[in-house]
Amino acid sequence: MSNAIFYHAGCPVCVSAEQQVLEALDKDRYNIEVVHLGEDASRINEAEDAGIKSVPALLLDGAVFHINFGAAVNDLK
Amino acid sequence: MSNAIFYHAGCPVCVSAEQQVLEALDKDRYNIEVVHLGEDASRINEAEDAGIKSVPALLLDGAVFHINFGAAVNDLK
């Protein structure tokens, strides 16, 4: 299985992207995890280490895809 | 079936996103089309009408997701 992690911060841009992008992923092949950085600040460092600059962002097997723009990760600290 | 259209312009950012994001989509549920706006400028208007400002971008049933940033659509004209 491949891994997909969707980082967001609960903003409207994030929620819309979460619902539609995750819905489109192939759940037979991807373990999908959703991380709310606004509620779980302990994972901000992990997101930054992965290269995430803003949310919403999708990490597909370690590759970062910034999707639209909701908030900068720096503003979540 | 739902529709997924991936607009790109052949740049490295676009190609990387195309390969990984399209690979992750559920092909049993999505008709996937790839449009190279650099080679097919006749579809730039369609992309703009859909709300696309930059490429690479993914259109999922009409909803625009700008993924990372390769080039502004305006620069492709």
Side-chain angles (χ1 to χ4, degrees), chain B residues 17-38:
Chain B
E18 177 187 343
Q19 291 173 341
Q20 291 199 265
V21 173
L22 293 188
E23 161 64 22
L25 297 184
D26 186 344
K27 293 162 194 66
D28 290 339
R29 294 185 293 121
Y30 284 83
N31 289 313
I32 296 174
E33 182 185 14
V34 176
V35 176
H36 189 320
L37 291 178

Side-chain angles (χ1 to χ4, degrees), chain A residues 17-59:
Chain A
E18 178 190 343
Q19 291 174 342
Q20 290 199 265
V21 173
L22 293 188
E23 162 65 22
L25 297 184
D26 186 345
K27 289 157 199 71
D28 290 339
R29 293 183 295 120
Y30 283 83
N31 288 314
I32 296 174
E33 183 185 13
V34 176
V35 176
H36 188 320
L37 292 178
E39 294 178 348
D40 191 356
S42 70
R43 297 191 66 175
I44 289 180
N45 283 347
E46 160 201 313
E48 285 188 317
D49 287 348
I52 290 172
K53 309 289 189 200
S54 65
V55 287
L58 181 65
L59 199 63

Side-chain angles (χ1 to χ4, degrees), chain B:
Chain B
M1 291 286 277
S2 294
N3 291 308
I5 307 178
F6 187 87
Y7 292 95
H8 72 116
C11 62
V13 170
C14 293
V15 170
S16 166
E18 177 187 343
Q19 291 173 341
Q20 291 199 265
V21 173
L22 293 188
E23 161 64 22
L25 297 184
D26 186 344
K27 293 162 194 66
D28 290 339
R29 294 185 293 121
Y30 284 83
N31 289 313
I32 296 174
E33 182 185 14
V34 176
V35 176
H36 189 320
L37 291 178
E39 295 179 346
D40 191 355
S42 68
R43 297 191 63 176
I44 289 180
N45 282 347
E46 160 201 313
E48 285 189 317
D49 287 346
I52 290 171
K53 311 286 188 199
S54 64
V55 287
L58 181 65
L59 200 63
L60 290 178
D61 281 336
V64 178
F65 298 96
H66 295 99
I67 299 173
N68 295 339
F69 182 84
V73 170
N74 251 338
D75 293 337
L76 302 176
K77 292 179 183 175

